[in-house]
Amino acid sequence: MNSIPAIAARSKAARPLSLHTLYLATRDGAPFSRAERGVVATAVAARFPGFRLSDTLGSFGGRPVATLLVDVAADDTPRVMALARDLGLALGQGKVGLAVGGQYQNISA
C-alpha cells in the first residue's frame, strides 16, 4: 500500500505560474468573427497547452469595443509577448494589451 509521504516525495512540487492576460480589441468595435476567434485559438494552442478565451466589452475613446481576453498561465513572459505581437499582426492591430501580475503594457505588433 502506498503511503501519502511516499507519493508526495515522488511528485514534483508544482511551481506557481504567472497569469498573463492578452487584450485583443476589434478594430470596428463589432464582435469577433468565428474566423478571427479561430486564428486566435490556433495561435495560442500552438504555443501553450492550455488557455482561456473570454469575450468582454471594453471601451476606448469613450466608445464600446468588443474585446477578447486570452488568459495563459506561463513562466515565460517573453514567449507570451511574442504571441501578442503575432496576434496583433494576424488581426491587423497595432497594439495588443498584456497584463501580468497587475501590471499592464501595450505590445506593438
Side-chain angles (χ1 to χ4, degrees):
M1 188 163 143
N2 289 331
S3 69
I4 292 176
I7 293 170
R10 283 183 283 178
S11 67
K12 281 183 161 180
R15 190 173 89 207
L17 301 173
S18 295
L19 182 61
H20 298 74
T21 302
L22 297 176
Y23 293 78
L24 302 164
T26 58
R27 290 178 300 178
D28 61 2
F32 281 87
S33 70
R34 182 180 298 253
E36 290 168 324
R37 290 179 66 83
V39 166
V40 172
T42 299
V44 180
R47 291 170 172 92
F48 299 98
F51 58 94
R52 177 178 55 192
L53 299 179
S54 305
D55 288 296
T56 191
L57 184 62
S59 179
F60 184 77
R63 70 181 178 96
V65 178
T67 304
L68 185 62
L69 302 181
V70 181
D71 291 322
V72 176
D75 60 359
D76 190 347
T77 298
R79 191 167 167 213
V80 178
M81 292 171 78
L83 171 63
R85 283 189 289 278
D86 291 347
L87 289 173
L89 288 171
L91 298 174
Q93 296 186 4
K95 296 180 181 178
V96 172
L98 170 63
V100 183
Q103 300 293 312
Y104 179 89
Q105 63 181 310
N106 283 314
I107 306 299
S108 295

